[in-house]
Amino acid sequence: QVHLVESGGELVQPGGSLRLSCAASQLTLDYYAIGWFRQAPGKEREGVSCISSTDGKRFYTDPVKGRFTISKDIAKNTVYLSMYDLKPEDTAVYFCAADLKSMDDCQLFPYEYDYWGQGTQVTVSS
């Protein structure tokens, strides 16, 4: 059974930084497109960033460009989302997901993804 497990979310002050981790079991993350998504209370889930498999293409939604970085550690079978200069509007539950259909590209649409983690809460507040 495939499991994705996110970790690293916590309460942080505006301007602070966090690194989220997405670890997988029964799935080699480097073989597939991996995405990070977030969902704030009362809002739809939105794509934040994704990384493709074959050439490591990275995409970011506009509000996080220049502040968030997606990366992966193949040896640890883990994908990271490093977040800097966090803002209150970044507050949400963050999810990672795997798209088993894509290798050389990635999308920021939730419906493209096949496996999801349970999410980790990020709260940006003073």
Side-chain angles (χ1 to χ4, degrees):
Q1 180 111 14
V2 173
H3 285 289
L4 298 177
V5 180
E6 304 93 337
S7 61
E10 62 182 69
L11 173 63
V12 63
Q13 292 188 344
S17 302
L18 284 176
R19 189 178 77 164
L20 306 183
S21 299
C22 172
S25 60
Q26 304 302 317
L27 185 74
T28 301
L29 293 181
D30 191 43
Y31 290 174
Y32 306 104
I34 304 299
W36 280 98
F37 298 82
R38 64 186 181 186
Q39 189 166 18
K43 294 189 176 181
E44 293 188 356
R45 191 169 298 189
E46 64 170 346
V48 175
S49 180
C50 64
I51 185 167
S52 68
S53 169
T54 54
D55 57 2
K57 293 178 188 175
R58 294 166 171 83
F59 296 94
Y60 301 91
T61 188
D62 285 345
V64 309
K65 283 180 182 177
R67 300 190 297 120
F68 289 13
T69 301
I70 191 170
S71 61
K72 53 185 173 181
D73 186 326
I74 297 172
K76 294 183 178 180
N77 200 30
T78 299
V79 173
Y80 302 101
L81 184 68
S82 299
M83 307 185 294
Y84 306 96
D85 189 24
L86 283 161
K87 306 176 185 298
E89 52 263 41
D90 295 318
T91 295
V93 178
Y94 284 71
F95 301 87
C96 67
D99 178 1
L100 274 56
K101 303 174 296 298
S102 298
M103 294 181 69
D104 58 357
D105 203 351
C106 67
Q107 305 291 334
L108 291 179
F109 303 112
Y111 60 78
E112 293 285 353
Y113 288 76
D114 305 291
Y115 290 104
W116 291 81
Q118 82 292 344
T120 186
Q121 177 70 48
V122 172
T123 302
V124 185
S125 175
S126 55

